[in-house]
Amino acid sequence: MTTLSLQEISTQLESPNLRDRMVALANLRHVSPDDAVPLIKKVLDDESLQLRSMAIFALGIKPTPECYSILVRILENDPDYGIRADAAGALGYLGDARAFEVLSRAFYEDTDWLVRFSAAVSLGNIKDPRAHQILIQALDSKEVVLQQAAISALGEIQDIESVDQILRFAQSDDWLVRQRLAEALGNLPTPKSISALKYLEKDNHFNVAEAARIGLKKLEEIGNQA
């Protein structure tokens, strides 16, 4: 891809051709956040949901002081659930502790599971221990993907207290749930975590067994550092 100047990117973002706008947005990956964000804002209300989604993701990885408030506004107000989910995900990339309240509200109040899933993942990404209660509640969700997100996030926030609650998924029918459990336990150094990982190491699904092996290695390293 040829690298465009800021002026060329700015002009191309106004092209009637969607592909031109997408190429211009992709070119912003080489641009500093301060230069990129004003240009990203030009397509935040684009008619193409795909381009809007790309722009929202870009705000998460090109952080400036205004990205947080833009993403909060989108998460709280956009009528499209996919766009709200993108905004929740991008807030996780920002890693801003202020997002805890906003993401918690999205988890409790948004009616769409995809938004709630993104909010749970992002609560893990911002590594805020206050997410404990929300994530424990998400373990009881009817949507398996929400259970997966909650297990992963509890591992991300290193929530030792959650070990007993997540161990019930060691015999889940869904191998991805078991894999997420093995990955999470690798961040939770307790004797029960080690026992569970030794059990999961014998899992008949390669990905689960491999995640358990990696988890045990991580816990061994943590133990050696202690």
Side-chain angles (χ1 to χ4, degrees):
M1 187 189 293
T2 54
T3 306
L4 303 175
S5 72
L6 285 176
Q7 187 51 55
E8 286 170 324
I9 293 172
S10 182
T11 304
Q12 208 169 315
L13 284 170
E14 292 167 14
S15 165
N17 183 310
L18 174 59
R19 189 179 174 283
D20 287 348
R21 300 198 301 279
M22 292 182 95
V23 168
L25 191 61
N27 262 283
L28 288 174
R29 75 173 66 132
H30 307 293
V31 174
S32 74
D34 286 339
D35 286 332
V37 169
L39 296 176
I40 294 167
K41 284 162 68 178
K42 293 178 80 159
V43 289
L44 278 175
D45 295 314
D46 198 90
E47 62 194 29
S48 161
L49 284 177
Q50 189 181 358
L51 189 66
R52 292 187 69 205
S53 181
M54 283 173 64
I56 289 165
F57 173 75
L59 288 178
I61 56 174
K62 296 281 184 188
T64 71
E66 68 176 325
C67 289
Y68 173 78
S69 56
I70 294 170
L71 290 169
V72 169
R73 178 174 52 76
I74 294 169
L75 173 57
E76 292 184 334
N77 300 304
D78 203 276
D80 186 276
Y81 71 87
I83 295 295
R84 294 198 305 279
D86 289 331
L91 281 167
Y93 285 114
L94 286 183
D96 189 322
R98 287 178 299 168
F100 170 74
E101 280 85 4
V102 185
L103 291 168
S104 302
R105 204 157 50 242
F107 180 81
Y108 283 126
E109 295 175 8
D110 203 291
T111 52
D112 195 275
W113 70 265
L114 186 62
V115 182
R116 300 177 74 223
F117 169 79
S118 280
V121 171
S122 286
L123 284 167
N125 288 341
I126 63 173
K127 296 183 167 47
D128 192 318
R130 289 176 295 169
H132 168 85
Q133 201 49 52
I134 296 168
L135 297 172
I136 292 296
Q137 187 177 331
L139 293 175
D140 294 326
S141 171
K142 290 193 273 293
E143 286 93 4
V144 174
V145 289
L146 265 173
Q147 294 172 353
Q148 291 170 12
I151 293 167
S152 294
L154 286 163
E156 290 281 349
I157 67 173
Q158 300 182 336
D159 191 330
I160 297 285
E161 285 178 37
S162 70
V163 170
D164 283 344
Q165 282 103 325
I166 62 175
L167 284 181
R168 71 180 198 253
F169 294 96
Q171 291 174 312
S172 168
D173 294 336
D174 188 314
W175 68 266
L176 256 174
V177 170
R178 302 197 306 277
Q179 181 183 340
R180 294 288 171 265
L181 174 62
E183 290 163 354
L185 290 171
N187 292 320
L188 302 169
T190 73
K192 284 182 178 177
S193 302
I194 294 169
S195 302
L197 284 169
K198 285 179 175 168
Y199 170 79
L200 290 167
E201 202 178 11
K202 302 184 186 78
D203 197 275
N204 57 14
H205 196 289
F206 173 80
N207 293 30
V208 180
E210 185 63 15
R213 274 193 290 278
I214 293 166
L216 280 167
K217 195 158 180 285
K218 278 175 78 176
L219 290 184
E220 194 180 314
E221 285 164 6
I222 292 168
N224 290 339
Q225 288 163 6

